[in-house]
Amino acid sequence: MNVFTYDQAPDAMAAVDLAKANTASKYLGGGTNLVDLMREGVERPEMLIDITRLPAEIELRPDGSLLIGAATKNTALAADPYIRLAFPFLARSILAGASAQIRNMATVGGNILQRTRCRYFYDDAARCNKRQPQAGCDAKDGFNRYHAILGASSSCVATHPSDMCVALAALDATVHLEGPVGSRSVRLLDLHRLPGDRPDIETQLQLNELITAIEIPPLPFARRSTYRKVRDRASYAFALISVAAAIDIDDAGKVRDVRLALGGVAHKPWRALKAEEALIGEPAGLESFRAAAEVELATAVGLRDNGFKIELAKRTIVAVLDELKGEGA
């Protein structure tokens, strides 16, 4: 690990000012990903700016929306009684990720910005366009069981590792930012980028911008929601495929509204907008669920080791929606 300095920011503006003064700095929340990357030599900041004093409250607003401070611990978010009742798939997605010890340290802001777990990204002896632009990609012909089947490019086939972000994508969350030129907000769906020919640029964040909060709009039918993670072992494994889903079924048994997002399939949390569009107005049943899954995965492309994920994603979508249908209103 290289030598670095450390400072603690009392608030968001102070953190941004510190970052402006040292452009080789990194914000430090829980550190559960950043410290690993520093140990591996992938990240070499000259300065760490401790942002654990940023707001960590979960504010429930009168309209049922939530404003969640970026420093909120993942454990606190998953345990919040209102979230467990109103947005159960968000709580379940967090509990599906990492160990309890890591969830106790990890923050909401850091979870959103965690970097891929592609083994070639962590191995500085391997070629990786994300770690070193124009270096090449050893994952394309290497061990690529966990890699992308949607939205990948010839430059990068890595996936985004977060479980929580899959549920946030389904919830259409908004990310609040503070930066050198002021405050702004970005939809979570727009925050992360597909790799294209610059996989090293992973988000729409500007230089020194800091996530300060996450806003979740009200979604009454999210009470009928769930998160399913398919992985190689029961715990402490990243998703092969994950599905966050919420569904609203009318009295005639047709889909009135639906939210669907996938994890483990792309460089970013993947909102299944084509499947959602295909489902609305259709009977809530296996035939329409399967048809919607086929539409969403129509452009999926498998690699040597992960072609099975295309059919696995379809079957997981169908299984999750069928489970929710059976839960009733």
Side-chain angles (χ1 to χ4, degrees), residues 154-165:
S154 59
S155 296
C156 185
V157 293
T159 54
H160 194 271
S162 170
D163 292 289
M164 183 187 76
C165 282

Side-chain angles (χ1 to χ4, degrees), residues 12 33-34 45 53 82 91 99 165 200 255 266 276 290 294 309:
N33 187 209
L34 177 59
R53 291 184 180 177
Y82 180 75
S99 64
C165 282
D200 55 310
V255 178
E276 290 180 6
R290 180 73 191 187
E294 292 284 352
K309 289 173 67 172

Side-chain angles (χ1 to χ4, degrees), residues 29-49:
T32 55
N33 187 209
L34 177 59
V35 174
D36 279 349
L37 293 169
M38 292 172 65
R39 288 196 189 103
E40 298 296 332
V42 178
E43 295 278 12
R44 298 174 183 272
E46 295 177 359
M47 180 183 190
L48 291 182
I49 303 169

Side-chain angles (χ1 to χ4, degrees), residues 3-297:
V3 176
F4 57 88
T5 60
Y6 168 89
D7 206 341
Q8 189 172 51
D11 54 43
M13 282 306 302
V16 171
D17 287 342
L18 285 169
K20 284 168 57 181
N22 188 335
T23 55
S25 60
K26 288 286 182 181
Y27 296 123
L28 178 69
T32 55
N33 187 209
L34 177 59
V35 174
D36 279 349
L37 293 169
M38 292 172 65
R39 288 196 189 103
E40 298 296 332
V42 178
E43 295 278 12
R44 298 174 183 272
E46 295 177 359
M47 180 183 190
L48 291 182
I49 303 169
D50 187 327
I51 53 172
T52 53
R53 291 184 180 177
L54 265 61
E57 289 78 30
I58 301 172
E59 177 188 349
L60 173 60
R61 293 165 164 174
D63 65 354
S65 65
L66 290 171
L67 186 68
I68 302 163
T72 303
K73 301 293 187 183
N74 284 13
T75 295
L77 192 61
D80 184 88
Y82 180 75
I83 289 175
R84 293 168 66 88
L85 175 67
F87 307 110
F89 61 169
L90 176 56
R92 290 171 188 170
S93 69
I94 296 169
L95 294 174
S99 64
Q101 292 90 342
I102 290 176
R103 292 195 297 269
N104 288 340
M105 288 295 296
T107 63
V108 171
N111 190 301
I112 290 172
L113 295 181
Q114 66 178 300
R115 307 191 72 185
T116 183
R117 260 58 176 189
C118 174
R119 62 172 58 184
Y120 301 98
F121 174 67
Y122 278 75
D123 180 1
D124 63 6
R127 296 180 304 150
C128 176
N129 290 318
K130 181 182 286 296
R131 176 168 32 77
Q132 183 180 353
Q134 309 304 317
C137 174
D138 279 341
K140 285 189 301 183
D141 298 316
F143 180 74
N144 45 45
R145 177 176 173 81
Y146 287 90
H147 289 70
I149 56 174
L150 289 167
S153 73
S154 59
S155 296
C156 185
V157 293
T159 54
H160 194 271
S162 170
D163 292 289
M164 183 187 76
C165 282
V166 183
L168 291 177
L171 283 165
D172 211 6
T174 296
V175 181
H176 294 279
L177 305 169
E178 188 69 47
V181 296
S183 305
R184 69 184 180 115
S185 300
V186 180
R187 289 178 75 201
L188 181 94
L189 293 179
D190 299 326
L191 180 72
H192 300 96
R193 297 175 72 254
L194 290 177
D197 59 359
R198 290 298 305 271
D200 55 310
I201 304 174
E202 297 172 334
T203 70
Q204 302 291 354
L205 286 178
Q206 302 298 313
L207 183 64
N208 300 326
E209 274 193 319
L210 173 67
I211 294 177
T212 57
I214 313 301
E215 185 172 357
I216 298 176
L219 187 67
F221 71 86
R223 291 180 181 233
R224 183 193 272 190
S225 69
T226 195
Y227 182 78
R228 185 176 296 189
K229 181 177 182 179
V230 182
R231 47 190 164 180
D232 279 333
R233 57 180 188 268
S235 63
Y236 310 152
F238 293 96
L240 289 166
I241 296 290
S242 66
V243 175
I247 193 166
D248 184 19
I249 300 172
D250 66 20
D251 293 340
K254 293 186 176 182
V255 178
R256 184 157 44 206
D257 206 347
V258 62
R259 295 291 180 89
L260 197 59
L262 309 179
V265 300
H267 201 251
K268 58 185 291 184
W270 189 267
R271 179 77 175 272
L273 294 169
K274 295 176 183 175
E276 290 180 6
E277 182 179 359
L279 280 167
I280 292 175
E282 296 296 317
L286 292 176
E287 184 176 346
S288 56
F289 297 161
R290 180 73 191 187
E294 292 284 352
V295 167
E296 191 63 45
L297 274 299

